[in-house]
Amino acid sequence: RSSLSLHLRPLPSKKPADEDDEEFSQPIKFSSSKASHKTWNVDQSLGSKYQRPWWKVLPISLLGVSFLLWCALRGETVIDEQLEKNLYEQLPGLLSDEEQSKSR
C-alpha cells in the first residue's frame, strides 16, 4: 500500500524575519493606500471615458424635478387634514376614560 504525503516548505524570503514582523505589527496607513481619497476618483471606477447619454439622464431629471414641484405647489387635501390630526382624535376609544380626562 502506498500513501501520498505532502510536505510543505516555506518559500525563501528576501527580507529578514525581523522586518516582516515589524511590517505586520504596524497598522496600514490609509492616506498612502490605493483606497485613499487622494488617489481614488470616480473616473477610475467608471472608466475615464464614461458618460451617461443625455437621453437617459434627461427624462429621469425632468420626472424628479416635476415631482418635487408638484409636492411643493399642490393644494391641501382632506387626507392632509386627517394626517395632521392627533392619533387620539382619530381613535377615540384608544384611551380609557381616566386617561382622557387627564389629557384634557
Side-chain angles (χ1 to χ4, degrees):
R1 204 167 92 169
S2 70
S3 64
L4 179 64
S5 63
L6 181 63
H7 298 283
L8 298 175
R9 290 181 284 157
L11 294 174
S13 176
K14 294 180 183 177
K15 296 181 184 178
D18 293 339
E19 287 182 22
D20 284 341
D21 292 341
E22 185 177 308
E23 181 180 322
F24 290 122
S25 67
Q26 299 294 321
I28 298 172
K29 293 182 181 175
F30 177 74
S31 60
S32 62
S33 73
K34 291 181 181 179
S36 172
H37 65 279
K38 294 178 183 176
T39 59
W40 179 87
N41 62 28
V42 175
D43 289 338
Q44 289 176 342
S45 294
L46 299 175
S48 59
K49 304 284 186 202
Y50 184 80
Q51 186 177 3
R52 290 183 191 264
W54 68 268
W55 51 271
K56 285 186 177 179
V57 174
L58 186 64
I60 294 172
S61 299
L62 289 176
L63 184 67
V65 168
S66 60
F67 177 73
L68 289 175
L69 285 173
W70 175 79
C71 289
L73 301 176
R74 71 183 184 90
E76 193 169 300
T77 63
V78 176
I79 294 174
D80 294 324
E81 293 171 7
Q82 288 178 349
L83 289 173
E84 289 176 2
K85 285 184 182 178
N86 194 345
L87 177 64
Y88 301 115
E89 293 174 19
Q90 293 281 350
L91 303 169
L94 193 60
L95 289 176
S96 67
D97 292 335
E98 293 174 9
E99 291 174 336
Q100 283 181 352
S101 62
K102 287 180 186 177
S103 65
R104 290 183 184 177

